[in-house]
Structure formats: C-alpha cells, structure tokens
Amino acid sequence: MTTPDVGFSPEAARRDIPILHRTVNGHPLVWLDNGATTQKPRQVIEALTAFYACANSNIHRGAHTMAREATEMYEAGRATVARFLGAPSPESIVFVRGTTEAINLVAQSWGRADLGPGDDILVPVLEHHANIVPWQRVAEQTRARVVPVPLRPDGSIDQDAYADLLSMRTRLVVISHASNVLGTVPPVREMTALAHRYQARVLVDGAQAVAHFPVDVTDLDADFYTFSGHKIYAPTGIGALYAKPEILEAMAPWQAGGNMIESVSFDRTTYAPVPHRFEAGTGHISGVAGLLAALDWLTAFDRTAVADYETRLTAYAQQALAQVPGLELLGPAAGRIGVLTFTLPGHTPGEIADRLDGDGIAVRAGHHCAQPALAHYGLDSAARASLALYNTREEVDRLVASLLELQAA
Ligand SMILES: *Cc1c(COP(=O)(O)O)cnc(C)c1O
C-alpha cells in the first residue's frame, strides 16, 4: 500500500494487477479502455476464489453456518458501499447487476408509479444510452416526455438552457456525474439543488465517476445514485443503486420472486423490508465479495492523491495528444476525468483502434453508447482512450508514438 505522505504512485497499483503484466501482439499491454471496464487487482481475484473455495452458500435462507457467513459478508458489502458513497444507511443500498439495471429499476418502479402525462424528464444530451433509453420507455408507458438538455461546444451542459427547461412539470432530472465520452464533470450539486426547487427528483449516474474521485451522495443531495462494480476494479454483474430511504420505502417492487417476500399465500403476499424487496432471486453473491475487496483496495490509497495523480496524467495526455497533427479532442471542458475521445483525419476510429491494438494498446472505437453526444459534434463514431489510476506517462507516450506513426504512414 502507499504511504500517504508521498502521495500516490501508479506503481503501487500496478503491482497488484496481474493482467497489466501480460503482452498483446508482442508488446506489453497498455490498457486505455478503462471507460468500458477496469482491470482487477489480485485482492479482488482472490476474494472470488476464496468465496468459491471456502465460503460458497446462498444467503438469507438456510439456517446453517455457511449461509450465515455468506449473509454476513453480503451485508458487510452493503455497509461498505453505503460508507463508500456517504449514504445514510446500508438499507439505502440495493445490489443490482450494474448501472443499467439500477436505472431500469428506478424507471420501472419509481417512474411507472410517479410519472404521468405531461411530466418532463430532463436528460442531458451527453448521457450514456443506459441513462436515455429506460426513460424513453417509461415515458411511452406513462405518457411523460423526455426533454434533452443541450450541450455547449466544449462538451459542458448548457446551464442556462437547463435553468430554462426546469419547470413545475419537471418530475425528474438525470445527470451523469462524469461523461463516458467527453469526460465532462457537470456541477451536479448545483444542478440538483436547482431541480429540488421544482420538487423534481434527481438521479445521478456515477458509472464513470466513482473510480476517479470521492463521492458523497448526502452532500450532493442526490435522490438516486448508481454505479457498476466492473468500472471500479470489481467483477462484472454487480453494482449498486442508492436511493434516499423515504423514496425507496415508498417504491413498489420491480422484479418479484424469492428473497423479496415476507410471506406468500394465494390470498395475500407481503414483501420484505427495503432493500431486500428490490433484490428478487439469488444475487451475485461472489460479486459482492469482489466488490467489497475492490472498494477496500481502492480506499486503502489516499483518494485525494489518486484524484490529483489522475488529473495530472489527464493534463499530460491532453498536451501529448495535441502533438499529433490534426488530432481533434472532443469536449475540451475543464475539470474533466481522464476520458479522451478523439478523431484523426484520414483514419476511421476502427483503423485507429486496430493500429493501436497491433502495438498492444487497447482503446475503444465506436459510438461509446452515447450517440446523441457524438451527434452533437456531427460524428457517429470516434476513438477513446480512457485512463485509470494504474496508467502512466510512459503509456501515454506509447499511445502518442503509435498515433504519430499511423499519421506518418
Ligand atoms: C458504462 C456506463 C453505463 C452502463 O454501465 P453498465 O455497467 O454497462 O450497466 C452507464 N453510464 C455510464 C456513464 C457509463 O459509463
């Protein structure tokens, strides 16, 4: 682990992550696809192995030692997520598959009941499809309206337009805490306070944010907050939804079945208390063990030092990419996370990703599940390099060297 007084060194993180030491196409791997998923520390991999080797059991039901142990671990995971997000209580955390499932849960449970004809859902243009399409579906189902909030050319949300669009018809505002295509970090706290003046609820999509900077849902005053484990060094298939206790308490179940009931009969079925009411069926128990290990791993570093390191690395990468002739970085807004989406004249994003892959460098090419954000720049596809705490300046230099070679060829 790092010693806090010397800040943060990416080497401390790299040592823990086995996959970063493999080669791809004969070159040491440079993983710059962290916006899609992050690589896993040995501590997370070992937590999964240990669970299946020594502790595997279903939870809540079954009065035996291992069921009790698995339940304790699962609930300790919930308490860890609550602390990690600054949530008031573990009961305000629902385990889900990830951000997508969390948003669908809110749309279909809260939205189905609380939205109606003529209600507005404000959705900034830069949102991930996971934070657009569930709202379009529930809008169809309830005859509410999805209203896009426009962007400025630099990739920031147009705050004047946002203030103008808010009205007593606004029932919900959704905002990503950091954009997966532009890296923009909107003023979520201020936007939330403004929405609350109109009694609107606010859902914050934290999928890209939580790995990069400390989050406090109480300070943000968010009504809902979501994230995916796999983007924060944990396994796929596990994530969390935070909702304010009084909101969660009033929400109807979404999926139904085992684990979410109190008693079942053909005359009358009653539901378990929150948050179990929202966790029908057997969950991703080993995933919670992995998530717990990932959050323990990340929070053992000085998170402010990690965020400072990533900010410096992002600034370095922006300057380095600017040396590539013709390269255009989308959304140069200040205060961004390390998500660098770009185009290079004469080369399609697919060609760029292929070329970099040949050099062992993984970047993403495509629409990044944010077609409206790309359309804002007149594009349907772009290349994206996204940074994590374990990336280094040397890796950024290798990215730039490959791009320069591609440009010269
Ligand atoms: C990745 C991502 C999602 C979707 O997350 P899943 O893990 O695929 O459910 C939603 N929003 C943002 C901003 C993302 O980056």
Side-chain angles (χ1 to χ4, degrees), residues 35-36 97-101 103 127-131 176 178-180 205-208 227-231 384:
R97 273 200 301 131
T99 305
T100 304
E101 189 171 74
I103 295 174
E127 293 307 310
H128 189 283
H129 295 165
N131 207 15
S176 57
S179 155
N180 71 306
D205 169 356
Q208 291 294 335
F227 76 91
S228 301
H230 72 100
K231 290 184 180 173
R384 178 184 74 185

Side-chain angles (χ1 to χ4, degrees), residues 25-374:
N25 296 319
H27 300 273
L29 168 66
V30 176
W31 183 260
L32 298 178
D33 197 14
N34 296 290
T37 202
T38 52
Q39 299 301 353
K40 315 308 174 200
R42 153 179 71 70
Q43 289 84 340
V44 170
I45 300 164
E46 284 169 4
L48 295 180
T49 309
F51 178 76
Y52 285 119
C54 310
N56 180 51
S57 167
N58 210 327
I59 54 169
H60 295 306
R61 59 177 98 94
H64 56 71
T65 303
M66 283 166 61
R68 271 195 303 279
E69 286 175 3
T71 306
E72 275 164 25
M73 178 282 291
Y74 198 79
E75 295 307 323
R78 196 188 306 280
T80 298
V81 170
R83 266 196 313 279
F84 179 74
L85 291 179
S89 66
E91 288 71 36
S92 57
I93 302 297
V94 179
F95 283 124
V96 287
R97 273 200 301 131
T99 305
T100 304
E101 189 171 74
I103 295 174
N104 277 280
L105 191 165
V106 176
Q108 291 301 314
S109 172
W110 178 86
R112 255 327 226 303
D114 280 53
L115 293 168
D119 288 343
D120 284 350
I121 307 165
L122 301 196
V123 182
V125 165
L126 53 67
E127 293 307 310
H128 189 283
H129 295 165
N131 207 15
I132 300 176
V133 186
W135 306 118
Q136 290 175 325
R137 284 200 67 224
V138 75
E140 269 170 35
Q141 290 158 344
T142 60
R143 311 214 348 264
R145 230 172 35 137
V146 170
V147 180
V149 183
L151 299 184
R152 292 217 172 86
D154 69 356
S156 61
I157 297 171
D158 186 332
Q159 295 297 325
D160 296 333
Y162 172 62
D164 287 345
L165 288 168
L166 277 169
S167 74
M168 290 314 287
R169 281 204 314 268
T170 310
R171 292 287 296 151
L172 178 70
V173 173
V174 303
I175 327 164
S176 57
H177 205 179
S179 155
N180 71 306
V181 64
L182 303 174
T184 318
V185 180
V188 168
R189 199 157 160 270
E190 291 71 20
M191 291 177 74
T192 301
L194 198 54
H196 283 163
R197 280 202 228 157
Y198 295 87
Q199 268 85 57
R201 297 296 189 194
V202 178
L203 177 140
V204 183
D205 169 356
Q208 291 294 335
V210 287
H212 298 292
F213 49 82
V215 167
D216 187 323
V217 293
T218 306
D219 176 59
L220 291 174
D221 201 21
D223 298 297
F224 303 101
Y225 197 97
T226 68
F227 76 91
S228 301
H230 72 100
K231 290 184 180 173
I232 187 165
Y233 316 110
T236 53
I238 187 71
L241 165 68
Y242 158 78
K244 278 186 183 159
E246 66 275 19
I247 300 176
L248 207 54
E249 200 60 60
M251 275 164 54
W254 176 41
Q255 295 180 333
N259 278 344
M260 54 77 73
I261 52 88
E262 189 179 64
S263 75
V264 178
S265 78
F266 285 96
D267 298 326
R268 183 175 135 79
T269 290
T270 56
Y271 303 127
V274 295
H276 310 290
R277 190 191 299 166
F278 299 101
E279 295 177 355
T282 299
H284 189 2
I285 305 168
S286 64
V288 172
L291 179 59
L292 182 56
L295 297 182
D296 282 350
W297 178 76
L298 179 61
T299 53
F301 296 112
D302 173 349
R303 291 213 68 203
T304 309
V306 170
D308 286 349
Y309 171 73
E310 287 190 36
T311 301
R312 277 182 278 120
L313 185 65
T314 304
Y316 179 80
Q318 272 181 272
Q319 278 169 12
L321 287 169
Q323 295 160 18
V324 182
L327 184 143
E328 201 142 346
L329 189 67
L330 301 194
R336 64 190 302 148
I337 58 161
V339 169
L340 303 159
T341 297
F342 60 91
T343 57
L344 198 55
H347 304 280
T348 67
E351 283 165 13
I352 296 169
D354 269 357
R355 164 65 206 230
L356 294 173
D357 181 52
D359 292 342
I361 303 167
V363 300
R364 179 139 182 230
H367 57 56
H368 313 298
C369 299
Q371 288 180 342
L374 284 179

